[in-house]
């Protein structure tokens, strides 16, 4: 439970940047500041959307594999590896922002 408040003075430009970063991360400014200060990972909303779409594509590939009785197993396996690698890459990059 958050039970206290800290006032911080910023320039207008700093506040605008903080608001934009919070918006991109899908967080409040307070949550973003806490996450950054305490070293928690911040994953941008756009990254989360991309990861969700990649997972959806992986599910569709799995469906193709299942419905074709593995006729395209080499191709679907290779595509799933690429999707998995992309998800890992996005996740790692998001944590370093």
């Amino acid at each position: 439970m958050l039970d206290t408040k800290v006032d911080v003075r910023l320039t207008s430009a700093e506040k605008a940047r903080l608001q934009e970063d919070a918006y991109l991360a899908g967080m409040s400014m307070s949550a973003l500041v806490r996450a950054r200060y305490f070293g928690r990972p911040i994953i941008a909303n756009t990254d989360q959307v991309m990861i969700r779409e990649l997972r959806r594509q992986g599910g569709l590939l799995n469906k193709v594999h299942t419905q074709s009785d593995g006729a395209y197993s080499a191709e679907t396996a290779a595509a799933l590896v690429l999707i998995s690698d992309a998800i890992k890459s996005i996740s790692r990059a998001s944590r370093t922002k």
Side-chain angles (χ1 to χ4, degrees):
M1 177 175 144
L2 303 175
D3 60 356
T4 190
K5 182 178 176 180
V6 175
D7 293 318
V8 178
R9 297 189 65 77
L10 303 170
T11 65
S12 296
E14 289 170 335
K15 182 180 179 184
R17 181 175 173 194
L18 184 58
Q19 286 173 320
E20 182 180 355
D21 288 353
Y23 171 77
L24 291 173
M27 307 170 84
S28 69
M29 288 192 299
S30 295
L32 178 69
V33 169
R34 283 192 309 275
R36 283 188 175 165
Y37 183 80
F38 292 111
R40 298 179 194 132
I42 299 167
I43 300 176
N45 240 4
T46 53
D47 291 344
Q48 291 175 348
V49 170
M50 178 60 73
I51 289 171
R52 197 173 319 120
E53 177 60 21
L54 286 167
R55 287 183 176 149
R56 188 182 77 79
Q57 294 294 324
L60 292 172
L61 279 169
N62 190 39
K63 188 174 181 178
V64 167
H65 175 74
T66 302
Q67 289 181 347
S68 70
D69 292 326
Y72 306 101
S73 60
E75 293 86 352
T76 55
L80 287 170
V81 167
L82 291 173
I83 288 173
S84 177
D85 289 347
I87 290 171
K88 288 175 189 171
S89 178
I90 292 168
S91 296
R92 276 193 302 272
S94 296
R95 287 188 179 93
T96 61
K97 289 181 182 175

